[in-house]
Amino acid sequence: MSDLLSITAKEDFEIIKAEELLEACTKNEELKFTLLHYSESLNAEVRHFIFENLWHFSGKDVRIAALKHLQDSDTIVQIDCIEILNNYDDIEVIEALKCKLADRDELVRCFAAESLADKKSSKTLAFLFEKVKTEKSELVLTGLYYAIYTQGEMQVLEKLLHQLESYNHRVIIRALLVLEAISDKKNYPIILEAIQNLASKPDLPISVFEKANSIMDNLTNSFN
């Protein structure tokens, strides 16, 4: 613990060393307190390390820190905090996540949209449908469709499948990930077929090809 404290406090933060030390620690209240203590570090890399690992903890103090750093100057830290807040479903958290759908960064908006998938209510669903009407980013629309589908609106599966036809490889990879997440015994044949069609396209970026094949293997193993 003392070694972790020392390296986290250094200006030249070594994330690999910090991760090694963290693995050696028991995830207890003392460790949570230590992580929270350094959540205000001026070093964005340290803050990312802190909030990425605070995901393993719960409690009011973690929730408060994550809500505060939704406004962090670093995009990755904001996304870390969105992922932490996935574990909470009170009104304050839901409203804060909704507000992030107005963020300037499309990746933040995408993660915020996905975070609302499990916050099931008629008000949240109506909010998501309204956002679809005005959102221009394909990446964010992928997150919105995922959240809407997860809220029970199965008809948007077609829109998620359509995202595989994007010219933006980041959009395609995000669509692949959410399609894998929503796959079940009923819908997996159509999802698998769409991914097979994608993987057969010539000149597909290697990152997309590898992700598509990995997910096809996962779906085949899970549902056959």
Side-chain angles (χ1 to χ4, degrees):
M1 181 67 74
S2 60
D3 289 339
L4 181 61
L5 281 167
S6 174
I7 197 170
T8 308
K10 285 182 179 179
E11 191 170 324
D12 54 338
F13 179 67
E14 301 174 61
I15 191 166
I16 294 176
K17 182 62 177 177
E19 287 173 345
E20 290 174 354
L21 292 168
L22 186 68
E23 286 179 6
C25 293
T26 302
K27 288 182 168 57
N28 54 25
E29 287 299 306
E30 183 182 3
L31 178 55
K32 180 174 82 167
F33 178 80
T34 301
L35 292 171
L36 285 167
H37 178 74
Y38 285 100
S39 65
E40 299 301 324
S41 171
L42 297 178
N43 185 332
E45 191 175 15
V46 171
R47 296 197 305 279
H48 167 53
F49 172 80
I50 295 299
F51 283 102
E52 185 178 43
N53 286 286
L54 276 173
W55 182 87
H56 299 287
F57 298 91
S58 61
K60 184 178 179 180
D61 46 4
V62 173
R63 173 186 167 281
I64 290 172
L67 278 170
K68 178 180 179 182
H69 283 272
L70 278 180
Q71 308 306 323
D72 198 278
S73 59
D74 186 84
T75 296
I76 301 303
V77 175
Q78 291 182 45
I79 291 171
D80 290 333
C81 292
I82 288 170
E83 293 186 327
I84 288 173
L85 292 171
N86 282 344
N87 299 322
Y88 301 85
D89 59 2
D90 59 273
I91 292 175
E92 184 181 11
V93 165
I94 293 171
E95 292 304 313
L97 292 171
K98 286 180 178 179
C99 286
K100 294 308 291 179
L101 275 166
D103 197 273
R104 289 180 297 177
D105 189 284
E106 67 171 358
L107 192 57
V108 169
R109 298 201 308 279
C110 178
F111 273 83
E114 291 181 12
S115 73
L116 292 170
D118 294 326
K119 312 294 189 285
K120 294 181 174 64
S121 74
S122 57
K123 287 184 178 180
T124 299
L125 184 58
F127 172 82
L128 292 168
F129 272 121
E130 285 301 312
K131 283 296 178 181
V132 165
K133 294 177 183 178
T134 57
E135 182 57 63
K136 304 299 182 184
S137 165
E138 282 188 298
L139 187 66
V140 182
L141 283 169
T142 304
L144 287 167
Y145 294 145
Y146 164 73
I148 291 170
Y149 182 92
T150 306
Q151 297 249 351
E153 300 294 320
M154 306 304 179
Q155 74 275 12
V156 299
L157 176 58
E158 183 179 347
K159 293 185 178 296
L160 276 172
L161 294 171
H162 181 71
Q163 299 301 84
L164 297 179
E165 300 176 18
S166 173
Y167 291 104
N168 185 327
H169 74 275
R170 287 208 309 168
V171 172
I172 298 173
I173 289 175
R174 202 72 209 164
L176 286 168
L177 290 170
V178 299
L179 284 167
E180 181 180 25
I182 65 171
S183 294
D184 55 34
K185 287 186 177 181
K186 185 176 180 179
N187 66 21
Y188 103 88
I190 188 173
I191 290 174
L192 182 61
E193 182 181 4
I195 297 175
Q196 287 172 336
N197 290 338
L198 170 70
S200 67
K201 289 183 178 180
D203 302 321
L204 202 64
I206 187 64
S207 59
V208 173
F209 179 79
E210 289 179 348
K211 179 58 69 176
N213 276 280
S214 173
I215 291 176
M216 283 192 292
D217 288 344
N218 292 344
L219 293 180
T220 301
N221 292 334
S222 296
F223 299 109
N224 283 341

